[in-house]
Amino acid sequence: MNESELLAVAKRPTVEWLESCFGPGSLWRPAEAELPVRLEDAGTRAFLTTVGVPAVRLDFMGYDSAGLKAKGMWEEDPDELFGNRYPDDDSEPACWSYCVGMVQLLHLMVRGDSGTVEIYDPDGWDHAAGYGGHAADSLPELIGALALIARCGHRLTDEDGDTDADALLDELTGRLELLGQGPEESSLWEGVLENLRDEYGDQ
């Protein structure tokens, strides 16, 4: 697969490509009837039911979505998570968000009304500061970027020490930027790339 083909499939991930990145049988692909009714965004629903998302652990970057197959997506009011709701406000949420995975303690929450992926930081919840930033404009964009990072994981953790980690991470960053998922566009990948450089880059 050449560079242009790789970027094209990362932008519109397929089942075959994602399983080549995460492993055979790694995708959680719920049936339409299994999806929450309040997950209204048509693009997100279509991606979940036709392609799916990885239900895996990626220890090298602290990613965990392994519980999706058994438990499905955690549903929560984003205004509650992000401190936009007063404590005595018992009105019906304007929309709902759904967790598709975690990076360390950060929850990746897909908005049910728009499909945008936002970061929930539970450390800030009781200070009305649970919003951890923007992760991706859509679920396919998030999963495509995650797959590119997963492809790099075995090379970063190569015990033979033959990998130039800084060059590999520069290449990865460039690809994410071309996808609109670079550190300037995504608070999630900004933190992930920084942590990977700290862990695996030249000291």
Side-chain angles (χ1 to χ4, degrees):
M1 183 179 294
N2 63 36
E3 186 72 9
S4 62
E5 291 171 335
L6 178 62
L7 290 173
V9 76
K11 186 172 291 188
R12 295 180 178 82
T14 63
V15 171
E16 294 76 17
W17 182 67
L18 290 178
E19 289 197 335
S20 77
C21 298
F22 298 109
S26 57
L27 300 181
W28 175 63
R29 193 180 308 113
E32 177 70 27
E34 297 175 303
L35 290 177
V37 174
R38 293 180 290 202
L39 175 55
E40 300 171 345
D41 182 68
T44 301
R45 295 183 73 90
F47 184 74
L48 284 167
T49 56
T50 61
V51 179
V53 295
V56 297
R57 288 188 180 89
L58 302 176
D59 291 337
F60 78 97
M61 61 172 286
Y63 179 83
D64 188 0
S65 60
L68 284 173
K69 289 184 177 180
K71 300 178 181 179
M73 298 178 293
W74 173 49
E75 179 184 70
E76 188 53 82
D77 172 11
D79 286 337
E80 175 74 19
L81 295 180
F82 301 147
N84 297 325
R85 179 182 287 275
Y86 292 109
D88 58 351
D89 182 357
D90 296 325
S91 62
E92 183 70 14
C95 77
W96 295 85
S97 286
Y98 300 87
C99 184
V100 294
M102 297 171 60
V103 177
Q104 306 296 346
L105 294 177
L106 301 177
H107 294 61
L108 306 179
M109 307 296 298
V110 180
R111 287 185 65 95
D113 59 348
S114 67
T116 300
V117 187
E118 299 170 311
I119 302 166
Y120 165 51
D121 182 355
D123 282 344
W125 176 79
D126 58 353
H127 305 293
Y131 182 70
H134 174 80
D137 289 339
S138 70
L139 185 56
E141 287 186 11
L142 176 84
I143 300 304
L146 179 66
L148 288 179
I149 295 175
R151 286 166 55 93
C152 295
H154 70 282
R155 294 174 62 189
L156 286 173
T157 57
D158 179 13
E159 294 182 357
D160 293 334
D162 295 333
T163 299
D164 183 338
D166 285 325
L168 179 61
L169 290 169
D170 286 345
E171 179 182 74
L172 173 62
T173 301
R175 287 172 174 163
L176 293 177
E177 288 172 345
L178 289 171
L179 293 172
Q181 282 280 282
E184 297 295 323
E185 295 86 11
S186 172
S187 299
L188 176 66
W189 303 133
E190 178 184 24
V192 166
L193 290 169
E194 182 178 338
N195 289 339
L196 290 177
R197 287 190 186 277
D198 289 343
E199 178 70 20
Y200 300 106
D202 292 337
Q203 304 298 319

